[in-house]
Amino acid sequence: SYVLTQPPSVSVAPEKTARITCEGNNIGSKSVHWYQQKPGQAPVLVIYYDSDRPSGIPERFSGSNSGNTATLTISRVEAGDEADYYCQVWDGSNYVLFGGGTKLTVL
Amino acid sequence: QVQLVESGGGGVQPGRSLRLSCAASGFIFSSYAIHWVRQAPGKGLEWVAVFSRDGGTKFFADSVKGRFTIYGDNSKNTIFLQMNSLRAEDTAVYYCTRVPLGTTNGAFDIWGQGTTVTVSS
């Protein structure tokens, strides 16, 4: 079965750029969605279809997807970006997969 | 206001049953498939099941197949997750979320606040 692999944690200083990866076999052929989840809250969609941003999500959030790696990039990181981030794809037409999640720490 | 609201969580003994509800408002319910996603304490997100009214689509993760069922109440814009033969590993916060019908790879744009299920003796 298909597997999505994310690093457990990423640390970044404020105002720097954070990159969170999501690896999967030929993931570039799939559409990848990214969610942000803060403690005690429901997930929030931050990137859909690899690189589109929902309304209300800052332009600092961007995404890319090619080959075996999809990447969520957060520019000019702020303290409020500290959260868990999950990538998600569809495995076939009816089944959904999430990556294991990455905890972003703002130093 | 577009909204999904879960209810029905609580504490239950292993082997018993529980029914969760997901009530939708503010959007055309019949235009979306409703999914359940759960999160065990300190763990990541795990997809559980999907239901869509158009063709009666119902699919389940292997971890719950044969124990959980899903159905809808059209008049109340509500989806129910019937959980039977509960196990300790079913302990989690259960979220419902939506994706537009007709998409085979869409994103979950709206999530409920979650309802907590604790399975323990």
Side-chain angles (χ1 to χ4, degrees), chain B residues 2-42:
Chain B
V2 176
Q3 203 172 6
L4 293 168
V5 178
E6 304 94 337
S7 61
V12 62
Q13 294 179 327
R16 303 300 290 267
S17 299
L18 204 61
R19 189 183 76 166
L20 305 183
S21 302
C22 172
S25 60
F27 63 95
I28 302 173
F29 190 54
S30 59
S31 297
Y32 291 83
I34 300 297
H35 294 246
W36 287 93
V37 174
R38 69 184 181 183
Q39 186 170 36

Side-chain angles (χ1 to χ4, degrees), chain A residues 5 12 17 26 28 33 37 53 56 62 71 81 84 86-88 90 104 107:
Chain A
T5 302
V12 64
T17 298
N26 197 26
H33 313 300
Q37 186 182 34
R53 263 181 299 104
S62 62
T71 303
D81 298 330
D84 294 326
Y86 296 90
C87 59
Q88 177 249 310
W90 288 74
L104 176 66
L107 300 171

Side-chain angles (χ1 to χ4, degrees), chain A residues 33-77:
Chain A
H33 313 300
W34 291 92
Y35 303 88
Q36 175 194 69
Q37 186 182 34
K38 296 182 178 180
Q41 298 183 19
V44 172
L45 179 67
V46 293
I47 292 289
Y48 63 103
Y49 290 124
D50 298 340
S51 58
D52 291 337
R53 263 181 299 104
S55 61
I57 301 301
E59 292 183 7
R60 301 184 296 103
F61 287 79
S62 62
S64 62
N65 184 17
S66 179
N68 293 321
T69 304
T71 303
L72 172 68
T73 300
I74 309 172
S75 304
R76 301 182 302 282
V77 166

